[in-house]
Amino acid sequence: MQPAQPLARTFRLTPLQQKALGKLGIHTVGDLLRHLPARYETIEEVRSTASLAAGEKVVVYGMFSQLETGKTWKTKKPLAEAWLSDGTGRIKVRWFHQPYLAKMLQEQTLYKVSGTVSGSGGKLYLSNPEVTRAEISAREMEASLFRRNAKEEISAKANGVHTPTLFAVYPESHGVTSRWFRHAVAKAIAAGAHHALEDPLPQEIRARYRLPTLATALVWIHQPRTLSDATAARKRFAFEEIFTLQVLLAQKRRARQLRPSLTLAPPKEAVRRFIARFPFSLTRAQMRAVDTILADLASEGAMARLLEGDVGSGKTAVAAVAVFAALATAPPDNRWGRVQAAYMCPTEILARQQFESFIEYFRESGVRIGLITSSGCRIFPSKVRPDESVKISRAQLLRWVADGTVAALVGTHALIQKSVTFKNLGLVIIDEQHRFGTLQRATLTRKDQRVPHLLSMSATPIPRTLALTLYGDLDLTLLDELPPGRKKVITRLVRTKEEVEAMYAVVRRELAAGRQAYLICPRIEEPDPQKALALQAKSAVEEARRIQEKVFPEFRVGLAHGKLTPAEKEAVMRAFAAHEIDLLVATSVVEVGVNVPNATAIIIEGAERFGLAQLHQLRGRVMRAAHQSYCFAVCTTRGGATAQKRLTAFQKAKNGFALAELDLQLRGPGELYGRAQSGISDIGMEALQNIKLVEAARTEAQQLVARDPSLNAYPALAARVAEKEILHME
Ligand code: ADP
Ligand code: MG
């Protein structure tokens, strides 16, 4: 059996199975072997029904028969009963109060039943046990129940028969059961298919970290004899995934560094004067970032840097210095021209705000600044009114961008359309970069023959392991310091009715004083994203109505949710920015990306459902207020201890990075960061909790790529990397 062999020719598949496998991307025997279990079911402690005694907590496997529903003898409460048989005997199972549970059971189906044995003597029964469909087959169950005999065990081993006590359970998939996977994988392994797969991990790396070979790891992960085998195999696959990704990132980085870029080295004195014109002095963190960036721009090879800093940490000023460095440089072929800079924002309002602040920063330098969005274009300065910007046609703006007249171009994703060409693009800045896909990032930086320097900026604090993994092709600079004199946002946890009333009183006082506020509706967990959007929108509409009618009838309540068109969203946010709305009710899917300094309060409903980093980002909306501001984290349902711990951390936290790390520990990466967008598997996600593993994988990858950039000596690895690239770029 060869790994490349199509599954359809190896196994008899029903159309449903074929469809389900296709959906999982499993087409060949090799794909099948690479489809890894999510966890294991162990039936080591399974009991036979014949051996049970009252009071014990037990797990039994068996089939139900003689299902009956009725009422309890004395109290007339609803009751269901059935017999559970497992081949050694049978025991009664009783469901009080919830007879519907019994009705969902099927006969001739093996179930796993866990609960406490009640009754006495010969009248034992299990009451209200937990019942799930068994992940193992009746044969597997029997094999393990009756395999108690040590002699048998030894002879089975001698014959090479695998009698598992750990059963691989595969990720939920509609149409293919874990049992099917176990069976199919066993067949492939028995036929030696796993030996025909080439190991993408170089031997010396495997040796250094004591990782099992691919063939061994496949056996261990699918058919482990012990949990420690399974763990060792998982570690190997986690390492392999992160390593492969890091190789890809290292290659990209290298390719970028090899392509010619413009050396942007403005006179130091000019930069100093530019910075001195800011109405504030830079924080130490800003100065460090500026120095690093200027050094990047002046050296050979294109910069590719991620600037991460909390909302309000002053990323714009840093970006402005970088833009200045570009604009103050003459292109090599034209002493009088200017190198151009492009600045991309996620929304029109942000682009407009950015355009206005660039006018302030560069007013005196005499450069021309353009704005391009899908709803129109502007230019500064205008010939008629040198102090203002004016509307111009898109065609005119594009001509001026193409001939180099416009030196700085600010815009939305309209910037990356094919029709936009630059004369001398030297620098690209992407604000709130997490909102653009990798592909979009790549497009913008490919606009010119020479590679422009790239500065990505993000206010989403992410843990270091994740930053290295998702943005590993970028260098990382943190702005971990806020400008001085900021008032700390007062954060309160709101749990009781009285606290809710007190919260409304504070918000009412703020609104009455002419301030504004946000109300964020709870996140709704729902696997289908379209459905989630609809549900969320519905709850926002209801909440807006309730708040308007019952709580704040005297104020103007606005509404923004994910079901609005982009134009509608822009309109609402514009109205909020213009203070035509006092209180904005919004879902979290609506990124309220505008800076409204007049907003001093934010209410976050269902706070326990948000990640800490996300809560922190929501709180950032009122962090720039000129007045004292408030954040209310509402958690009126009884959250568990973890929820309490998280919210208390949120209340006390100094910056977003600490929260992001804590989030990673408390909730795990899978919960926090959609894997769909990252192309990282569950196993890879688990690895993100292990900074040592990530750093080792990164170092090894960089060394390998430095030695052998096109992986000539590592064809199996090259093939894995190519697959990864497709995933990562989608
Ligand atoms: P963000 O990092 O969220 O993009 P901005 O660059 O918009 O933050 O800066 C937020 C506000 O802080 C702006 O009004 C800006 O003028 C101001 N600011 C930036 N740097 C400093 C500083 N070093 N000292 C005082 N205020 C600053
Ligand atoms: Mg910003």
Side-chain angles (χ1 to χ4, degrees), residues 51-82:
S51 70
L52 303 181
E56 289 182 311
K57 278 187 91 119
V58 296
V59 178
V60 274
Y61 282 78
M63 295 191 196
F64 288 105
S65 60
Q66 299 173 42
L67 279 165
E68 278 171 21
T69 52
K71 296 258 162 55
T72 51
W73 176 241
K74 279 190 206 136
T75 49
K76 301 281 176 241
K77 293 213 178 92
L79 167 75
E81 289 187 328

PDB file of all heavy atoms in Angstrom, residues 51-82:
ATOM      1  N   SER A  51     -19.468  -7.544  37.809  1.00  0.00           N
ATOM      2  CA  SER A  51     -18.595  -7.344  38.969  1.00  0.00           C
ATOM      3  C   SER A  51     -18.964  -6.121  39.817  1.00  0.00           C
ATOM      4  O   SER A  51     -18.195  -5.725  40.682  1.00  0.00           O
ATOM      5  CB  SER A  51     -17.157  -7.179  38.469  1.00  0.00           C
ATOM      6  OG  SER A  51     -17.040  -5.934  37.804  1.00  0.00           O
ATOM      7  N   LEU A  52     -20.109  -5.505  39.554  1.00  0.00           N
ATOM      8  CA  LEU A  52     -20.392  -4.223  40.207  1.00  0.00           C
ATOM      9  C   LEU A  52     -20.911  -4.370  41.635  1.00  0.00           C
ATOM     10  O   LEU A  52     -21.583  -5.340  41.975  1.00  0.00           O
ATOM     11  CB  LEU A  52     -21.416  -3.443  39.378  1.00  0.00           C
ATOM     12  CG  LEU A  52     -21.003  -3.188  37.927  1.00  0.00           C
ATOM     13  CD1 LEU A  52     -22.069  -2.379  37.200  1.00  0.00           C
ATOM     14  CD2 LEU A  52     -19.662  -2.487  37.859  1.00  0.00           C
ATOM     15  N   ALA A  53     -20.595  -3.366  42.472  1.00  0.00           N
ATOM     16  CA  ALA A  53     -21.132  -3.344  43.834  1.00  0.00           C
ATOM     17  C   ALA A  53     -21.690  -1.957  44.124  1.00  0.00           C
ATOM     18  O   ALA A  53     -21.232  -0.968  43.542  1.00  0.00           O
ATOM     19  CB  ALA A  53     -20.025  -3.687  44.830  1.00  0.00           C
ATOM     20  N   ALA A  54     -22.656  -1.891  45.027  1.00  0.00           N
ATOM     21  CA  ALA A  54     -23.327  -0.626  45.326  1.00  0.00           C
ATOM     22  C   ALA A  54     -22.325   0.414  45.800  1.00  0.00           C
ATOM     23  O   ALA A  54     -21.373   0.087  46.513  1.00  0.00           O
ATOM     24  CB  ALA A  54     -24.406  -0.847  46.383  1.00  0.00           C
ATOM     25  N   GLY A  55     -22.547   1.653  45.383  1.00  0.00           N
ATOM     26  CA  GLY A  55     -21.716   2.752  45.851  1.00  0.00           C
ATOM     27  C   GLY A  55     -20.512   3.041  44.977  1.00  0.00           C
ATOM     28  O   GLY A  55     -19.882   4.084  45.105  1.00  0.00           O
ATOM     29  N   GLU A  56     -20.179   2.136  44.067  1.00  0.00           N
ATOM     30  CA  GLU A  56     -18.996   2.354  43.235  1.00  0.00           C
ATOM     31  C   GLU A  56     -19.293   3.330  42.096  1.00  0.00           C
ATOM     32  O   GLU A  56     -20.385   3.318  41.538  1.00  0.00           O
ATOM     33  CB  GLU A  56     -18.542   1.029  42.607  1.00  0.00           C
ATOM     34  CG  GLU A  56     -17.936   0.063  43.584  1.00  0.00           C
ATOM     35  CD  GLU A  56     -17.469  -1.188  42.880  1.00  0.00           C
ATOM     36  OE1 GLU A  56     -18.255  -1.768  42.094  1.00  0.00           O
ATOM     37  OE2 GLU A  56     -16.324  -1.578  43.104  1.00  0.00           O
ATOM     38  N   LYS A  57     -18.266   4.080  41.742  1.00  0.00           N
ATOM     39  CA  LYS A  57     -18.363   4.906  40.521  1.00  0.00           C
ATOM     40  C   LYS A  57     -17.741   4.100  39.404  1.00  0.00           C
ATOM     41  O   LYS A  57     -16.589   3.677  39.522  1.00  0.00           O
ATOM     42  CB  LYS A  57     -17.579   6.201  40.692  1.00  0.00           C
ATOM     43  CG  LYS A  57     -18.339   7.263  41.433  1.00  0.00           C
ATOM     44  CD  LYS A  57     -17.568   8.563  41.415  1.00  0.00           C
ATOM     45  CE  LYS A  57     -17.985   9.364  40.206  1.00  0.00           C
ATOM     46  NZ  LYS A  57     -18.574  10.651  40.525  1.00  0.00           N
ATOM     47  N   VAL A  58     -18.467   3.854  38.346  1.00  0.00           N
ATOM     48  CA  VAL A  58     -17.959   2.931  37.331  1.00  0.00           C
ATOM     49  C   VAL A  58     -18.188   3.420  35.909  1.00  0.00           C
ATOM     50  O   VAL A  58     -19.013   4.288  35.648  1.00  0.00           O
ATOM     51  CB  VAL A  58     -18.640   1.544  37.452  1.00  0.00           C
ATOM     52  CG1 VAL A  58     -18.301   0.891  38.768  1.00  0.00           C
ATOM     53  CG2 VAL A  58     -20.139   1.678  37.272  1.00  0.00           C
ATOM     54  N   VAL A  59     -17.427   2.814  35.020  1.00  0.00           N
ATOM     55  CA  VAL A  59     -17.644   2.991  33.591  1.00  0.00           C
ATOM     56  C   VAL A  59     -17.911   1.614  33.005  1.00  0.00           C
ATOM     57  O   VAL A  59     -17.118   0.696  33.212  1.00  0.00           O
ATOM     58  CB  VAL A  59     -16.407   3.590  32.909  1.00  0.00           C
ATOM     59  CG1 VAL A  59     -16.643   3.714  31.414  1.00  0.00           C
ATOM     60  CG2 VAL A  59     -16.060   4.921  33.522  1.00  0.00           C
ATOM     61  N   VAL A  60     -19.022   1.456  32.321  1.00  0.00           N
ATOM     62  CA  VAL A  60     -19.298   0.190  31.641  1.00  0.00           C
ATOM     63  C   VAL A  60     -19.666   0.460  30.198  1.00  0.00           C
ATOM     64  O   VAL A  60     -20.180   1.533  29.859  1.00  0.00           O
ATOM     65  CB  VAL A  60     -20.467  -0.600  32.299  1.00  0.00           C
ATOM     66  CG1 VAL A  60     -19.977  -1.459  33.433  1.00  0.00           C
ATOM     67  CG2 VAL A  60     -21.554   0.318  32.762  1.00  0.00           C
ATOM     68  N   TYR A  61     -19.391  -0.497  29.363  1.00  0.00           N
ATOM     69  CA  TYR A  61     -19.796  -0.405  27.966  1.00  0.00           C
ATOM     70  C   TYR A  61     -20.860  -1.462  27.746  1.00  0.00           C
ATOM     71  O   TYR A  61     -20.734  -2.581  28.236  1.00  0.00           O
ATOM     72  CB  TYR A  61     -18.621  -0.690  27.039  1.00  0.00           C
ATOM     73  CG  TYR A  61     -17.681   0.466  26.886  1.00  0.00           C
ATOM     74  CD1 TYR A  61     -16.758   0.767  27.871  1.00  0.00           C
ATOM     75  CD2 TYR A  61     -17.719   1.251  25.734  1.00  0.00           C
ATOM     76  CE1 TYR A  61     -15.887   1.816  27.726  1.00  0.00           C
ATOM     77  CE2 TYR A  61     -16.845   2.314  25.581  1.00  0.00           C
ATOM     78  CZ  TYR A  61     -15.926   2.596  26.581  1.00  0.00           C
ATOM     79  OH  TYR A  61     -15.074   3.639  26.433  1.00  0.00           O
ATOM     80  N   GLY A  62     -21.897  -1.115  26.993  1.00  0.00           N
ATOM     81  CA  GLY A  62     -22.899  -2.134  26.734  1.00  0.00           C
ATOM     82  C   GLY A  62     -23.986  -1.624  25.811  1.00  0.00           C
ATOM     83  O   GLY A  62     -23.949  -0.480  25.342  1.00  0.00           O
ATOM     84  N   MET A  63     -24.952  -2.506  25.573  1.00  0.00           N
ATOM     85  CA  MET A  63     -26.077  -2.135  24.715  1.00  0.00           C
ATOM     86  C   MET A  63     -27.353  -2.135  25.543  1.00  0.00           C
ATOM     87  O   MET A  63     -27.519  -2.938  26.454  1.00  0.00           O
ATOM     88  CB  MET A  63     -26.213  -3.133  23.577  1.00  0.00           C
ATOM     89  CG  MET A  63     -25.010  -3.098  22.650  1.00  0.00           C
ATOM     90  SD  MET A  63     -25.341  -4.027  21.178  1.00  0.00           S
ATOM     91  CE  MET A  63     -23.694  -4.215  20.535  1.00  0.00           C
ATOM     92  N   PHE A  64     -28.261  -1.229  25.176  1.00  0.00           N
ATOM     93  CA  PHE A  64     -29.514  -1.115  25.917  1.00  0.00           C
ATOM     94  C   PHE A  64     -30.592  -1.996  25.301  1.00  0.00           C
ATOM     95  O   PHE A  64     -30.641  -2.189  24.087  1.00  0.00           O
ATOM     96  CB  PHE A  64     -29.998   0.334  25.910  1.00  0.00           C
ATOM     97  CG  PHE A  64     -29.159   1.231  26.778  1.00  0.00           C
ATOM     98  CD1 PHE A  64     -28.253   2.120  26.215  1.00  0.00           C
ATOM     99  CD2 PHE A  64     -29.272   1.177  28.160  1.00  0.00           C
ATOM    100  CE1 PHE A  64     -27.476   2.942  27.013  1.00  0.00           C
ATOM    101  CE2 PHE A  64     -28.499   1.998  28.968  1.00  0.00           C
ATOM    102  CZ  PHE A  64     -27.611   2.881  28.395  1.00  0.00           C
ATOM    103  N   SER A  65     -31.483  -2.510  26.168  1.00  0.00           N
ATOM    104  CA  SER A  65     -32.665  -3.203  25.660  1.00  0.00           C
ATOM    105  C   SER A  65     -33.830  -2.937  26.604  1.00  0.00           C
ATOM    106  O   SER A  65     -33.636  -2.444  27.723  1.00  0.00           O
ATOM    107  CB  SER A  65     -32.383  -4.699  25.552  1.00  0.00           C
ATOM    108  OG  SER A  65     -32.051  -5.184  26.837  1.00  0.00           O
ATOM    109  N   GLN A  66     -35.007  -3.240  26.154  1.00  0.00           N
ATOM    110  CA  GLN A  66     -36.253  -3.093  26.927  1.00  0.00           C
ATOM    111  C   GLN A  66     -36.414  -1.697  27.525  1.00  0.00           C
ATOM    112  O   GLN A  66     -36.641  -1.534  28.722  1.00  0.00           O
ATOM    113  CB  GLN A  66     -36.307  -4.134  28.044  1.00  0.00           C
ATOM    114  CG  GLN A  66     -36.286  -5.557  27.512  1.00  0.00           C
ATOM    115  CD  GLN A  66     -36.157  -6.558  28.653  1.00  0.00           C
ATOM    116  OE1 GLN A  66     -36.793  -6.413  29.694  1.00  0.00           O
ATOM    117  NE2 GLN A  66     -35.349  -7.583  28.447  1.00  0.00           N
ATOM    118  N   LEU A  67     -36.294  -0.686  26.662  1.00  0.00           N
ATOM    119  CA  LEU A  67     -36.504   0.685  27.120  1.00  0.00           C
ATOM    120  C   LEU A  67     -37.965   0.895  27.487  1.00  0.00           C
ATOM    121  O   LEU A  67     -38.858   0.561  26.723  1.00  0.00           O
ATOM    122  CB  LEU A  67     -36.153   1.650  25.984  1.00  0.00           C
ATOM    123  CG  LEU A  67     -34.668   1.955  25.799  1.00  0.00           C
ATOM    124  CD1 LEU A  67     -34.417   2.606  24.467  1.00  0.00           C
ATOM    125  CD2 LEU A  67     -34.201   2.844  26.931  1.00  0.00           C
ATOM    126  N   GLU A  68     -38.205   1.439  28.684  1.00  0.00           N
ATOM    127  CA  GLU A  68     -39.585   1.690  29.100  1.00  0.00           C
ATOM    128  C   GLU A  68     -39.651   3.025  29.807  1.00  0.00           C
ATOM    129  O   GLU A  68     -38.741   3.388  30.533  1.00  0.00           O
ATOM    130  CB  GLU A  68     -40.049   0.620  30.088  1.00  0.00           C
ATOM    131  CG  GLU A  68     -40.506  -0.652  29.421  1.00  0.00           C
ATOM    132  CD  GLU A  68     -40.731  -1.746  30.441  1.00  0.00           C
ATOM    133  OE1 GLU A  68     -40.913  -1.419  31.631  1.00  0.00           O
ATOM    134  OE2 GLU A  68     -40.705  -2.912  30.030  1.00  0.00           O
ATOM    135  N   THR A  69     -40.770   3.730  29.620  1.00  0.00           N
ATOM    136  CA  THR A  69     -40.935   4.964  30.378  1.00  0.00           C
ATOM    137  C   THR A  69     -42.197   4.855  31.224  1.00  0.00           C
ATOM    138  O   THR A  69     -43.132   4.155  30.876  1.00  0.00           O
ATOM    139  CB  THR A  69     -41.071   6.196  29.459  1.00  0.00           C
ATOM    140  OG1 THR A  69     -42.102   5.935  28.508  1.00  0.00           O
ATOM    141  CG2 THR A  69     -39.781   6.487  28.755  1.00  0.00           C
ATOM    142  N   GLY A  70     -42.214   5.554  32.343  1.00  0.00           N
ATOM    143  CA  GLY A  70     -43.381   5.499  33.219  1.00  0.00           C
ATOM    144  C   GLY A  70     -43.266   6.547  34.304  1.00  0.00           C
ATOM    145  O   GLY A  70     -42.655   7.592  34.099  1.00  0.00           O
ATOM    146  N   LYS A  71     -43.865   6.247  35.451  1.00  0.00           N
ATOM    147  CA  LYS A  71     -43.814   7.181  36.585  1.00  0.00           C
ATOM    148  C   LYS A  71     -43.249   6.450  37.799  1.00  0.00           C
ATOM    149  O   LYS A  71     -43.399   5.238  37.931  1.00  0.00           O
ATOM    150  CB  LYS A  71     -45.242   7.671  36.920  1.00  0.00           C
ATOM    151  CG  LYS A  71     -45.885   8.479  35.804  1.00  0.00           C
ATOM    152  CD  LYS A  71     -45.811   9.946  36.141  1.00  0.00           C
ATOM    153  CE  LYS A  71     -45.997  10.898  35.026  1.00  0.00           C
ATOM    154  NZ  LYS A  71     -47.000  11.032  34.140  1.00  0.00           N
ATOM    155  N   THR A  72     -42.621   7.184  38.688  1.00  0.00           N
ATOM    156  CA  THR A  72     -42.128   6.516  39.889  1.00  0.00           C
ATOM    157  C   THR A  72     -43.308   6.078  40.744  1.00  0.00           C
ATOM    158  O   THR A  72     -44.401   6.654  40.690  1.00  0.00           O
ATOM    159  CB  THR A  72     -41.230   7.435  40.730  1.00  0.00           C
ATOM    160  OG1 THR A  72     -41.914   8.647  40.938  1.00  0.00           O
ATOM    161  CG2 THR A  72     -39.906   7.699  40.042  1.00  0.00           C
ATOM    162  N   TRP A  73     -43.082   5.100  41.531  1.00  0.00           N
ATOM    163  CA  TRP A  73     -44.120   4.400  42.274  1.00  0.00           C
ATOM    164  C   TRP A  73     -44.893   5.336  43.184  1.00  0.00           C
ATOM    165  O   TRP A  73     -46.105   5.491  43.054  1.00  0.00           O
ATOM    166  CB  TRP A  73     -43.462   3.260  43.052  1.00  0.00           C
ATOM    167  CG  TRP A  73     -44.362   2.493  43.946  1.00  0.00           C
ATOM    168  CD1 TRP A  73     -44.247   2.361  45.296  1.00  0.00           C
ATOM    169  CD2 TRP A  73     -45.512   1.749  43.556  1.00  0.00           C
ATOM    170  NE1 TRP A  73     -45.253   1.586  45.781  1.00  0.00           N
ATOM    171  CE2 TRP A  73     -46.055   1.197  44.721  1.00  0.00           C
ATOM    172  CE3 TRP A  73     -46.140   1.508  42.322  1.00  0.00           C
ATOM    173  CZ2 TRP A  73     -47.198   0.418  44.726  1.00  0.00           C
ATOM    174  CZ3 TRP A  73     -47.274   0.725  42.326  1.00  0.00           C
ATOM    175  CH2 TRP A  73     -47.794   0.183  43.516  1.00  0.00           C
ATOM    176  N   LYS A  74     -44.177   6.032  44.093  1.00  0.00           N
ATOM    177  CA  LYS A  74     -44.888   6.840  45.087  1.00  0.00           C
ATOM    178  C   LYS A  74     -45.114   8.273  44.631  1.00  0.00           C
ATOM    179  O   LYS A  74     -46.202   8.806  44.706  1.00  0.00           O
ATOM    180  CB  LYS A  74     -44.085   6.874  46.386  1.00  0.00           C
ATOM    181  CG  LYS A  74     -44.290   5.638  47.220  1.00  0.00           C
ATOM    182  CD  LYS A  74     -43.658   5.837  48.589  1.00  0.00           C
ATOM    183  CE  LYS A  74     -43.274   4.492  49.187  1.00  0.00           C
ATOM    184  NZ  LYS A  74     -41.965   4.501  49.795  1.00  0.00           N
ATOM    185  N   THR A  75     -44.025   8.884  44.153  1.00  0.00           N
ATOM    186  CA  THR A  75     -44.103  10.330  43.912  1.00  0.00           C
ATOM    187  C   THR A  75     -44.600  10.685  42.524  1.00  0.00           C
ATOM    188  O   THR A  75     -44.780  11.852  42.199  1.00  0.00           O
ATOM    189  CB  THR A  75     -42.722  10.978  44.131  1.00  0.00           C
ATOM    190  OG1 THR A  75     -41.772  10.199  43.403  1.00  0.00           O
ATOM    191  CG2 THR A  75     -42.344  11.000  45.590  1.00  0.00           C
ATOM    192  N   LYS A  76     -44.786   9.692  41.696  1.00  0.00           N
ATOM    193  CA  LYS A  76     -45.326   9.900  40.340  1.00  0.00           C
ATOM    194  C   LYS A  76     -44.449  10.826  39.496  1.00  0.00           C
ATOM    195  O   LYS A  76     -44.949  11.651  38.737  1.00  0.00           O
ATOM    196  CB  LYS A  76     -46.757  10.481  40.410  1.00  0.00           C
ATOM    197  CG  LYS A  76     -47.743   9.600  41.151  1.00  0.00           C
ATOM    198  CD  LYS A  76     -48.217   8.455  40.263  1.00  0.00           C
ATOM    199  CE  LYS A  76     -49.123   7.503  41.027  1.00  0.00           C
ATOM    200  NZ  LYS A  76     -48.577   6.131  41.101  1.00  0.00           N
ATOM    201  N   LYS A  77     -43.154  10.724  39.699  1.00  0.00           N
ATOM    202  CA  LYS A  77     -42.254  11.507  38.853  1.00  0.00           C
ATOM    203  C   LYS A  77     -41.937  10.705  37.594  1.00  0.00           C
ATOM    204  O   LYS A  77     -41.913   9.475  37.625  1.00  0.00           O
ATOM    205  CB  LYS A  77     -40.948  11.781  39.605  1.00  0.00           C
ATOM    206  CG  LYS A  77     -41.150  12.689  40.797  1.00  0.00           C
ATOM    207  CD  LYS A  77     -39.937  13.579  41.023  1.00  0.00           C
ATOM    208  CE  LYS A  77     -40.175  14.514  42.178  1.00  0.00           C
ATOM    209  NZ  LYS A  77     -39.705  13.950  43.471  1.00  0.00           N
ATOM    210  N   PRO A  78     -41.693  11.417  36.477  1.00  0.00           N
ATOM    211  CA  PRO A  78     -41.389  10.698  35.246  1.00  0.00           C
ATOM    212  C   PRO A  78     -40.105   9.868  35.400  1.00  0.00           C
ATOM    213  O   PRO A  78     -39.153  10.309  36.024  1.00  0.00           O
ATOM    214  CB  PRO A  78     -41.179  11.796  34.201  1.00  0.00           C
ATOM    215  CG  PRO A  78     -41.140  13.070  34.928  1.00  0.00           C
ATOM    216  CD  PRO A  78     -41.737  12.876  36.276  1.00  0.00           C
ATOM    217  N   LEU A  79     -40.116   8.688  34.812  1.00  0.00           N
ATOM    218  CA  LEU A  79     -39.008   7.752  34.984  1.00  0.00           C
ATOM    219  C   LEU A  79     -38.840   6.941  33.707  1.00  0.00           C
ATOM    220  O   LEU A  79     -39.824   6.607  33.049  1.00  0.00           O
ATOM    221  CB  LEU A  79     -39.336   6.817  36.156  1.00  0.00           C
ATOM    222  CG  LEU A  79     -38.453   5.572  36.319  1.00  0.00           C
ATOM    223  CD1 LEU A  79     -37.103   5.946  36.890  1.00  0.00           C
ATOM    224  CD2 LEU A  79     -39.144   4.538  37.207  1.00  0.00           C
ATOM    225  N   ALA A  80     -37.586   6.650  33.367  1.00  0.00           N
ATOM    226  CA  ALA A  80     -37.349   5.722  32.263  1.00  0.00           C
ATOM    227  C   ALA A  80     -36.404   4.640  32.751  1.00  0.00           C
ATOM    228  O   ALA A  80     -35.568   4.890  33.628  1.00  0.00           O
ATOM    229  CB  ALA A  80     -36.743   6.452  31.074  1.00  0.00           C
ATOM    230  N   GLU A  81     -36.552   3.448  32.186  1.00  0.00           N
ATOM    231  CA  GLU A  81     -35.718   2.330  32.603  1.00  0.00           C
ATOM    232  C   GLU A  81     -35.248   1.554  31.381  1.00  0.00           C
ATOM    233  O   GLU A  81     -35.926   1.550  30.356  1.00  0.00           O
ATOM    234  CB  GLU A  81     -36.501   1.367  33.487  1.00  0.00           C
ATOM    235  CG  GLU A  81     -36.825   1.897  34.860  1.00  0.00           C
ATOM    236  CD  GLU A  81     -37.454   0.809  35.720  1.00  0.00           C
ATOM    237  OE1 GLU A  81     -38.160  -0.072  35.179  1.00  0.00           O
ATOM    238  OE2 GLU A  81     -37.220   0.841  36.926  1.00  0.00           O
ATOM    239  N   ALA A  82     -34.115   0.887  31.527  1.00  0.00           N
ATOM    240  CA  ALA A  82     -33.649  -0.008  30.463  1.00  0.00           C
ATOM    241  C   ALA A  82     -32.646  -0.983  31.053  1.00  0.00           C
ATOM    242  O   ALA A  82     -32.138  -0.766  32.157  1.00  0.00           O
ATOM    243  CB  ALA A  82     -32.997   0.790  29.343  1.00  0.00           C
TER     244      ALA A  82
END
